[in-house]
Amino acid sequence: MSHGSDTPFGGPPPRPREPQQPSRPSGKKVSPLTITIFAVVIIVAVFIFLSNFYADILWYNQLGYSEVYWTERVAKIIIFLIALVLMAVPMWFSMRSAYKHRPVYAPDSHQPSSMSRYQSQLEPVRRFLMFGIPLVVGIFAAVAVAGQWQTIMLFFNQSAWGSPDPQFNIDLSFFMFSLPFIALLNGFLISVVLLSGVAGMLTHYLYGGIRVEERGGIKIGKAARVHAAIVVAVFLLLQAVNFWIGQYETLTDQSGRVAGALYRDVHAVIPAKMILAIIAVLIAITYIIAAFTGRWRLPLIGTAMLVVTMIVAAGIYPFLVQQYQVVPSQRELESQYIDRNIKMTRQAFALDDIEVTQYDATVNTEKNALAKETATTANIRLLDPNLVSAAFAQLQQFRGYYTFADTLNVDRYKVDNKVEDTVIAAREVNVAPTDTWVNQHISYTHGYGLVAAYGNRVAAGGRPDFMLGGIPTTGALSNDDKYEPRIYFGENSPQYSIVGGPDEGWDDRELDRPSTSGDSPDTRYTFQGSGGPNVGNMFNRIVYSLKFASTDLLLSNDVNSESQILYDRDPKERVSKVAPYLTLDTNAYPAIVDGRVQWIIDGYTTSNNFPYAQQQQLASAVSDSLTSSQDINALNNRVNYLRNSVKATVDAYDGSVKLYAWDPEDPLLKAWQKVFPNTIKPMQDMSSELMEHVRYPEDMFKVQREVLSKYHVDDPGTFYQGNDEWAVPDDPTTSTSKVKQPPYYMSLKMPTQDQATFSLTSTFIPAGSANGQQRNVMFGFLSANADAGSVAGTKDKDFGKLRLLELPTDTAVPGPGQAQQNFDTNTKVTTELNLLRQGASEVKNGNLLSLPVGGGILYVQPVYVQSSGATSYPTLRKVLVSFGDQVGFADTLSEALDEVFGGDSGAVTGENDTGDSGKKDGEDETKQPSQTEEEKLSKALEDANNAIQAGQEALGKGDFEAYGKSQEALQDALKRATEADDAINGKTADDQSPAPENASQAPSESAVPTDGGNG
């Protein structure tokens, strides 16, 4: 045997291996073209994603609110990163600690082979999972926390409230700012601890720190026990914080008879929360000690005691106190806390300064009862803004590319040194969605002017009596040479428009208005302001082409170097973007302010953390017969604090937004002013003309009346019994059942006022009984002073003053529903209305106004008639009036009032001021053909009514000859009524051109009607 051999048996040495050739990949190589396409797709996707951010930056910069954009985004990013770290790092550390302290031993029977397989499969991706799982969980958690950025920003920018809560005597700012943040932070940290603990325990299990044995049960290693002890200890400490803040959260609890901490909470729940917090801290300490000593008996016993204490102290004991101490004497024991609830709820909804007056309303009428009520009767609004939109459209639309809102607005303007209630609307652009891209976005870009009509009277033929209208705009309100009528930003504006052009060498492309000359049917115009981001360079054009998915925008020759893109044009949408912390009123209304059309929007600061205040569901509170489902869907939150803190304006021409601090003492607004210090202007910057058109907000008034339906009672004992609750009556003029009557703007003088003021009003009736029955009698009348005055930057001291008239419960003063019932069942009324319905005409009841005059409640309802035909519109034909059970029905308000009040009401009405609204230039005042036809119609209806009564009397006597004559008289009267009705509507139809359905069918010219004094 050769010992020098390298082989064990001395054989020849093995031949050296030849170097192996690298194996070829089994698949084909990825081609450079595929990689290029994939890269391009990624780049395009990222560009599209980033283009939206860039477009937002351009939009905010152009509007001057980049501070809002960056403050909100930076705040969200910082909150996101902090939350990500707070969630991901503890979870990663928990998993890493469990892996680092895993038991190391050779596999044996104590460790199932399946676990070994899991470990071997996890090992290649262990590092990835250890970083990936915490990162993914952290991202989801951080996104949720970033969505609460407003709560966090309010905490760090809070302002002192200046008044304490009634239980703990702590400043209310703690409940409004600090408590929501502490609850948010503590809840997030509890989630961090629980998720980190679960991740750590799973890691211990996967690597043998926790084993499940067939005979020995669960075996937990020392490292896993220490880990679990620390997690439980931290969890208990956080739970102690939860128990501690739970004391203060009882003050906003809504589960009791009323909101806030009641007797059971004060004497059982709050002490129990305090005890549980202390016990939780002590047990957490025992767990920390046990983690190092290994003695687990004490913490386990303590945990059991905590569970028992929670059941007894937080569950059983409060239940026993409620059932055996509170319930037998609830009215007495809860009185103190109900009183707190009443006072704090009133304070939260600005009802603590309401003026309550006992109004001994009468139902008896007498002559000259309204002689001293001129301030109110002269301003009774006969023009219903909910019905006359069609009349505005037929008389003032002029082109198919114009439109008016379905429901118009009520405002007031000074005409000849007299303030007049007006019904006003914006003539906005209306483009068919099926029209060409050029028409939609280049040609039809804006509306033209406001149209306003007197509220307390109508012109000849029952048409609106316009004080402003026509194209070009004329009338009593158009004497300002600086008036800019064009409306680029409104509630019906196109999605986007491309406007603007060079000063020289550019042909106007925007259809402006009907021409007054015969050269061209329409004039054209080029936008001259700064209303949107510039799209003159190619990069911006690409960005907005992607944003609006439009190749036409990118390729159109109508886009030039000076072009701007106008979008997000709804006034409320613009305000919501620059003030995301505000809840906006559902109604934006237009006004002429300093020569410009301005949209005025009310903004509210809201909260759900006001102690002892009862929550209100905004959507339910503001819902009535005039609110749309779209408006209601935007108000899906519950609040127990509400302030009209901001008045916002949006310029209809250039879209500029201004925010004014209307309630500068509101602590919530002060906090937001710290967050966005340069966005809200002081009220002193408001011009006198703007102050003239600011009004008390509708939605706030609706919420307040909803609260007052229950909280008009200030005695805790009566409140507890609940036998004096009110309700807002259903609207009797609509066919939809169970829809609340809207509040109405009107100028009136309350019995406690010295002069009439522009006001917002509503009524109350008793709440329904347990069996569902409801008496429709008047119990309350609420009025808010809606006139802010006319001094620049100074709010009238009486603005917003709430006045409540409480009517006697032993006098059956008809409510709105009962008044409508009296109208509908009156023989004269039904007879004449049936005659008006002859010839397929439709009778429409206008809004039912309630007025506290003559020592009682007067109801006034205009009655409109609309004939059949595409160009017809409602015209005022009759006026219904009632006082008590007396009903008046006549052609004019004065005549109807005289019918009710013994032949002479003594009232002075706005109809006495009609002037020359119905005559043409140079026409004799005595010659009013339309009025003559009205008189013919009225006389014919009266004759028909007399003929019907004569026929009934003849039948009763069996005199068939007289009955035959009465039928002949009836037929003659009906014929004359039909002829008069046709004459009136025939003349009306000739006075305007039919409105085309879309812009492409617009007529070349349309005559401006002269009956409104606007031609």
Side-chain angles (χ1 to χ4, degrees):
M1 179 180 292
S2 172
H3 298 284
S5 174
D6 291 333
T7 61
F9 300 103
R15 298 175 61 183
R17 288 185 180 180
E18 296 181 0
Q20 294 182 348
Q21 297 294 327
S23 60
R24 294 183 178 179
S26 57
K28 295 182 178 179
K29 290 184 178 181
V30 179
S31 67
L33 178 60
T34 303
I35 297 175
T36 303
I37 294 175
F38 183 75
V40 169
V41 170
I42 295 296
I43 293 173
V44 170
V46 172
F47 182 80
I48 293 174
F49 178 76
L50 295 177
S51 66
N52 286 322
F53 289 99
Y54 179 69
D56 286 341
I57 293 171
L58 292 177
W59 190 89
Y60 279 94
N61 285 345
Q62 186 278 326
L63 204 55
Y65 284 88
S66 57
E67 176 189 12
V68 175
Y69 180 84
W70 288 114
T71 300
E72 180 180 346
R73 268 64 183 182
V74 170
K76 286 183 175 180
I77 290 172
I78 293 175
I79 294 169
F80 175 86
L81 293 176
I82 293 174
L84 176 61
V85 171
L86 287 177
M87 176 61 78
V89 171
M91 182 176 288
W92 170 82
F93 184 80
S94 178
M95 296 172 67
R96 181 180 179 277
S97 176
Y99 177 78
K100 182 178 179 180
H101 296 91
R102 69 192 184 281
V104 180
Y105 51 83
D108 57 21
S109 60
H110 296 289
Q111 186 177 27
S113 58
S114 59
M115 194 59 65
S116 301
R117 291 196 300 271
Y118 292 150
Q119 292 178 8
S120 61
Q121 292 173 358
L122 285 174
E123 191 59 30
V125 294
R126 175 181 57 81
R127 290 181 179 274
F128 174 77
L129 293 177
M130 285 237 176
F131 285 97
I133 292 176
L135 183 62
V136 172
V137 174
I139 289 173
F140 280 104
V143 169
V145 176
Q148 301 296 318
W149 69 277
Q150 295 192 13
T151 299
I152 299 170
M153 297 298 285
L154 284 176
F155 171 75
F156 286 105
N157 296 276
Q158 60 183 279
S159 300
W161 210 273
S163 59
D165 77 277
Q167 176 60 34
F168 298 101
N169 203 34
I170 301 175
D171 190 85
L172 293 177
S173 60
F174 171 77
F175 296 89
M176 301 294 284
F177 301 119
S178 300
L179 188 58
F181 172 77
I182 295 172
L184 173 65
L185 178 61
N186 194 62
F188 175 72
L189 293 178
I190 288 176
S191 300
V192 171
V193 171
L194 290 177
L195 292 173
S196 299
V198 170
M201 292 302 106
L202 283 174
T203 306
H204 277 295
Y205 175 72
L206 289 173
Y207 287 94
I210 300 175
R211 302 191 303 274
V212 180
E213 299 181 352
E214 294 182 2
R215 297 183 180 180
I218 300 176
K219 296 293 184 180
I220 303 177
K222 181 179 179 180
R225 290 199 301 270
V226 172
H227 195 159
I230 295 174
V231 170
V232 173
V234 177
F235 174 78
L236 287 172
L237 289 175
L238 293 173
Q239 196 61 43
V241 175
N242 209 35
F243 288 137
W244 190 264
I245 65 175
Q247 300 176 82
Y248 306 107
E249 290 176 337
T250 57
L251 270 64
T252 57
D253 180 63
Q254 303 286 325
S255 61
R257 187 178 186 88
V258 295
L262 304 181
Y263 184 92
R264 180 199 64 173
D265 301 307
V266 172
H267 293 85
V269 175
I270 291 177
K273 297 281 187 181
M274 188 183 304
I275 293 170
L276 288 170
I278 296 173
I279 293 175
V281 171
L282 295 176
I283 297 174
I285 295 173
T286 64
Y287 269 98
I288 295 174
I289 295 173
F292 296 97
T293 63
R295 299 176 181 177
W296 300 96
R297 183 176 180 181
L298 185 59
L300 292 176
I301 293 175
T303 303
M305 289 179 57
L306 178 62
V307 174
V308 172
T309 305
M310 288 177 60
I311 296 173
V312 175
I316 297 177
Y317 179 61
F319 173 78
L320 294 176
V321 169
Q322 180 69 24
Q323 289 298 118
Y324 299 102
Q325 190 172 357
V326 176
V327 171
S329 307
Q330 190 168 19
R331 178 177 177 180
E332 178 183 354
L333 294 180
E334 302 282 35
S335 177
Q336 173 187 355
Y337 309 104
I338 292 176
D339 185 61
R340 292 178 179 180
N341 173 259
I342 294 173
K343 291 178 179 178
M344 297 298 284
T345 299
R346 286 189 171 194
Q347 181 181 343
F349 292 100
L351 294 169
D352 45 351
D353 193 32
I354 188 171
E355 177 186 286
V356 181
T357 304
Q358 299 300 318
Y359 185 57
D360 296 327
T362 180
V363 294
N364 300 317
T365 61
E366 57 183 25
K367 287 187 177 182
N368 293 315
L370 304 182
K372 298 181 179 180
E373 304 286 358
T374 301
T376 296
T377 58
N379 292 297
I380 294 176
R381 182 167 47 77
L382 299 177
L383 203 64
D384 185 353
N386 314 316
L387 289 181
V388 297
S389 177
F392 272 53
Q394 288 297 324
L395 299 174
Q396 292 288 333
Q397 183 169 315
F398 304 121
R399 286 291 188 269
Y401 52 81
Y402 291 140
T403 187
F404 291 96
D406 292 335
T407 300
L408 310 185
N409 289 283
V410 178
D411 202 350
R412 69 278 186 206
Y413 285 85
K414 185 175 290 186
V415 180
D416 297 331
N417 295 321
K418 179 183 178 183
V419 177
E420 299 277 2
D421 287 3
T422 63
V423 175
I424 193 165
R427 188 191 288 112
E428 294 197 56
V429 67
N430 181 34
V431 187
T434 57
D435 215 331
T436 65
W437 183 88
V438 171
N439 275 353
Q440 287 185 6
H441 305 292
I442 300 294
S443 299
Y444 301 114
T445 60
H446 60 276
Y448 196 93
L450 297 186
V451 176
Y454 291 94
N456 60 352
R457 64 179 187 256
V458 293
R463 312 172 194 174
D465 187 1
F466 295 107
M467 64 171 69
L468 180 71
I471 296 181
T473 303
T474 58
L477 303 183
S478 63
N479 53 3
D480 191 343
D481 296 336
K482 298 179 181 179
Y483 176 54
E484 173 53 70
R486 296 172 181 88
I487 300 175
Y488 282 88
F489 294 83
E491 296 178 308
N492 197 60
S493 298
Q495 182 188 21
Y496 68 91
S497 294
I498 309 299
V499 299
D503 294 334
E504 297 180 0
W506 178 257
D507 294 331
D508 297 333
R509 285 163 168 75
E510 303 172 40
L511 280 171
D512 191 35
R513 59 178 175 81
S515 175
T516 56
S517 65
D519 298 337
S520 174
D522 297 285
T523 63
R524 292 186 179 267
Y525 179 77
T526 296
F527 180 74
Q528 301 296 319
S530 175
N534 180 272
V535 287
N537 62 74
M538 182 56 66
F539 184 78
N540 285 7
R541 289 178 69 174
I542 294 173
V543 167
Y544 282 103
S545 296
L546 292 172
K547 180 178 178 64
F548 294 107
S550 173
T551 57
D552 296 294
L553 194 158
L554 182 64
L555 303 175
S556 175
N557 293 327
D558 291 316
V559 182
N560 61 84
S561 60
E562 301 298 322
S563 289
Q564 303 172 41
I565 183 167
L566 312 183
Y567 64 99
D568 290 343
R569 300 162 73 175
D570 185 276
K572 289 188 292 185
E573 183 180 6
R574 293 180 78 79
V575 175
S576 67
K577 290 186 69 172
V578 302
Y581 48 89
L582 293 178
T583 299
L584 301 183
D585 196 278
T586 54
N587 185 29
Y589 61 97
I592 299 176
V593 177
D594 301 320
R596 308 280 287 223
V597 177
Q598 299 280 351
W599 294 94
I600 303 176
I601 305 103
D602 288 284
Y604 308 106
T605 47
T606 62
S607 177
N608 198 28
N609 301 298
F610 202 82
Y612 275 104
Q614 202 75 33
Q615 288 181 355
Q616 295 294 320
Q617 175 66 44
L618 283 182
S620 174
V622 307
S623 177
D624 58 35
S625 61
L626 297 181
T627 51
S628 66
S629 57
Q630 182 179 357
D631 293 332
I632 295 302
N633 292 336
L635 301 173
N636 56 3
N637 54 322
R638 302 181 69 89
V639 302
N640 68 354
Y641 176 85
L642 180 69
R643 285 292 184 275
N644 178 212
S645 54
V646 173
K647 298 289 185 181
T649 64
V650 177
D651 192 293
Y653 184 77
D654 61 19
S656 57
V657 179
K658 294 180 181 178
L659 307 174
Y660 298 96
W662 188 248
D663 187 359
E665 299 304 316
D666 175 32
L668 276 177
L669 181 62
K670 288 181 179 180
W672 285 119
Q673 285 180 300
K674 292 180 181 179
V675 179
F676 305 108
N678 302 313
T679 59
I680 302 178
K681 299 177 181 294
M683 183 173 59
Q684 287 71 23
D685 288 358
M686 299 177 71
S687 68
S688 59
E689 283 198 35
L690 178 57
M691 297 296 292
E692 289 177 358
H693 297 288
V694 166
R695 65 189 192 187
Y696 198 78
E698 285 183 85
D699 284 355
M700 183 164 184
F701 185 78
K702 292 177 185 179
V703 173
Q704 287 177 318
R705 72 174 181 177
E706 197 71 23
V707 174
L708 271 180
S709 63
K710 187 174 182 180
Y711 285 87
H712 67 279
V713 178
D714 56 6
D715 177 65
T718 306
F719 187 94
Y720 173 81
Q721 292 174 344
N723 56 4
D724 193 21
E725 292 186 12
W726 296 347
V728 177
D730 295 335
D731 190 348
T733 66
T734 180
S735 58
T736 306
S737 60
K738 300 299 179 183
V739 179
K740 285 177 286 192
Q741 186 182 40
Y744 295 119
Y745 286 104
M746 65 181 83
S747 291
L748 82 160
K749 183 176 80 67
M750 293 285 282
T752 57
Q753 289 181 280
D754 296 328
Q755 59 185 5
T757 57
F758 187 66
S759 305
L760 186 57
T761 64
S762 186
T763 59
F764 295 101
I765 61 175
S769 60
N771 58 11
Q773 294 181 347
Q774 188 175 41
R775 297 174 60 217
N776 207 294
V777 294
M778 181 84 79
F779 267 25
F781 183 90
L782 180 64
S783 170
N785 187 330
D787 191 350
S790 58
V791 179
T794 303
K795 190 190 310 182
D796 187 274
K797 64 179 182 180
D798 204 34
F799 176 81
K801 181 69 176 179
L802 294 172
R803 295 178 173 88
L804 176 64
L805 302 180
E806 291 189 347
L807 279 66
T809 57
D810 57 353
T811 303
V813 178
Q818 196 173 96
Q820 187 69 53
Q821 179 73 8
N822 290 340
F823 290 153
D824 295 341
T825 56
N826 184 276
T827 303
K828 176 185 176 183
V829 173
T830 55
T831 301
E832 293 201 32
L833 290 181
N834 286 333
L835 292 173
L836 287 173
R837 293 187 180 98
Q838 299 290 330
S841 294
E842 181 182 1
V843 175
K844 296 184 176 182
N845 292 326
N847 44 208
L848 182 62
L849 303 180
S850 309
L851 304 120
V853 294
I857 300 295
L858 175 72
Y859 290 98
V860 177
Q861 183 177 59
V863 178
Y864 290 80
V865 177
Q866 182 171 355
S867 62
S868 59
T871 61
S872 64
Y873 56 87
T875 56
L876 180 67
R877 292 296 179 80
K878 296 285 184 179
V879 179
L880 280 164
V881 171
S882 74
F883 191 97
D885 291 329
Q886 299 297 316
V887 174
F889 187 56
D891 295 339
T892 66
L893 175 61
S894 297
E895 294 171 348
L897 290 173
D898 289 342
E899 287 185 11
V900 171
F901 291 94
D904 184 9
S905 67
V908 176
T909 65
E911 297 164 316
N912 302 330
D913 300 326
T914 51
D916 61 356
S917 297
K919 59 179 182 174
K920 300 179 181 178
D921 294 339
E923 184 181 5
D924 188 349
E925 292 187 17
T926 60
K927 297 179 181 180
Q928 298 183 19
S930 294
Q931 185 61 39
T932 302
E933 297 299 336
E934 285 288 318
E935 292 174 352
K936 290 180 180 179
L937 177 61
S938 179
K939 183 64 169 62
L941 293 175
E942 183 179 354
D943 292 345
N945 185 37
N946 293 336
I948 292 174
Q949 294 179 359
Q952 292 175 345
E953 292 178 1
L955 283 177
K957 297 177 181 179
D959 189 346
F960 293 101
E961 182 179 356
Y963 176 75
K965 293 180 179 180
S966 68
Q967 292 303 298
E968 292 177 0
L970 175 60
Q971 294 299 322
D972 178 68
L974 290 176
K975 180 180 179 182
R976 287 185 284 115
T978 302
E979 291 174 351
D981 184 72
D982 290 342
I984 294 172
N985 285 295
K987 182 180 185 302
T988 298
D990 292 340
D991 279 347
Q992 81 282 319
S993 301
E997 296 182 358
N998 56 57
S1000 62
Q1001 298 172 339
S1004 61
E1005 193 69 41
S1006 180
V1008 180
T1010 58
D1011 60 288
N1014 304 307

